[in-house]
């Protein structure tokens, strides 16, 4: 694994490899080790949890599973880490049924599936980021959030954060990174390569 520190207002290391599949595998291997370490800490009375995005995270744009991410998802469930899915896919009865069925085909049955309500007048990145952060706020009321996985910066970092946003605005969406953003809930985050 090759980690490259990046100057930012939070801990931020790029995961470098020959292709996106290797980047994902290296990042999820690191996260599994990190989670194994975190699970040894029994001081928090709340049960452990992880948050996953869907598109370009658990599945690709053709809704085929991404092996390294579905493997870490299953590893989490096998190690009593409650998994939540938080997606920008729009909320509707039909979309929820189709999305839930697709996830179930890949053996992904989250504790709760959070889907994006109708958007506001905010810019898309800020709207999605705010929605996802609010979902994590709700989760940490009852769980100790240990990990967050997503392919877009807005999946990980709450926008707008002036200094962080300016740093991230210059980043390539295809990058893979490990982050410990200070404004989150104490979790480690993996920003996965995006195909968008």
């Amino acid at each position: 694994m090759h980690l490259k520190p990046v100057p930012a207002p939070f801990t931020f290391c790029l995961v470098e490899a020959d292709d996106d599949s290797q980047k994902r595998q290296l990042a999820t291997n690191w996260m599994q080790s990190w989670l194994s370490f975190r699970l040894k800490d029994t001081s928090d009375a709340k049960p452990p949890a992880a948050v996953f995005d869907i598109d370009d995270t658990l599945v690709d744009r053709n809704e085929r599973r991404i092996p390294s991410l579905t493997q870490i998802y299953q590893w989490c469930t096998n190690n009593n880490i409650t998994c939540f899915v938080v997606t920008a896919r729009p909320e509707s009865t039909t979309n929820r049924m189709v999305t839930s069925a697709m996830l179930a085909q890949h053996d992904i049955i989250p504790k709760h599936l959070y889907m994006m309500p109708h958007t506001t007048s905010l810019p898309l990145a800020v709207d999605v980021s705010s929605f996802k952060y609010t979902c994590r706020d709700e989760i940490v009321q009852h769980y100790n959030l240990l990990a967050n996985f997503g392919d877009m910066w807005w999946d990980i970092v709450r926008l707008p954060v002036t200094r962080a946003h300016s740093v991230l605005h210059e980043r390539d969406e295809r990058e893979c990174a490990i982050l410990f953003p200070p404004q989150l809930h104490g979790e480690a985050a993996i920003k996965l390569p995006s195909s968008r």
Side-chain angles (χ1 to χ4, degrees), residues 1 8 10 26 33 46 49 61 69 94 112 114 127 143 163 171 174 186-187:
M1 178 184 214
F10 44 80
L26 290 170
S33 296
K46 295 178 184 176
R61 60 179 45 191
L69 272 297
T94 302
H112 186 74
Y114 292 88
D127 200 28
Y143 292 87
R163 286 181 58 214
R171 307 305 318 168
R174 297 198 55 87
E187 75 271 24

Side-chain angles (χ1 to χ4, degrees), residues 1-30:
M1 178 184 214
H2 186 172
L3 296 178
K4 178 181 172 185
V6 176
F10 44 80
T11 303
F12 176 21
C13 291
L14 294 178
V15 178
E16 296 182 339
D18 292 335
D19 62 38
D20 289 348
S21 178
Q22 288 178 340
K23 290 177 187 176
R24 286 186 195 99
Q25 190 65 60
L26 290 170
T28 55
N29 288 349
W30 178 89

Side-chain angles (χ1 to χ4, degrees), residues 6 16 21 38 41-42 60 67-68 89 94 98 103-104 109-110 114 119 122 142 144-145 149 151 156-157 190 196:
V6 176
E16 296 182 339
S21 178
R38 289 294 311 271
D41 179 6
T42 58
D60 65 18
S68 55
R89 288 184 178 202
T94 302
V98 168
L103 290 171
I109 313 293
Y114 292 88
T119 59
L122 296 171
H142 304 286
N144 179 17
L145 184 56
F149 300 85
D151 70 298
I156 308 301
V157 178
I190 300 290
R196 297 175 217 191

Side-chain angles (χ1 to χ4, degrees), residues 159-174:
L159 303 177
V161 178
T162 309
R163 286 181 58 214
H165 189 241
S166 65
V167 169
L168 298 177
H169 185 66
E170 300 165 4
R171 307 305 318 168
D172 182 347
E173 291 298 335
R174 297 198 55 87

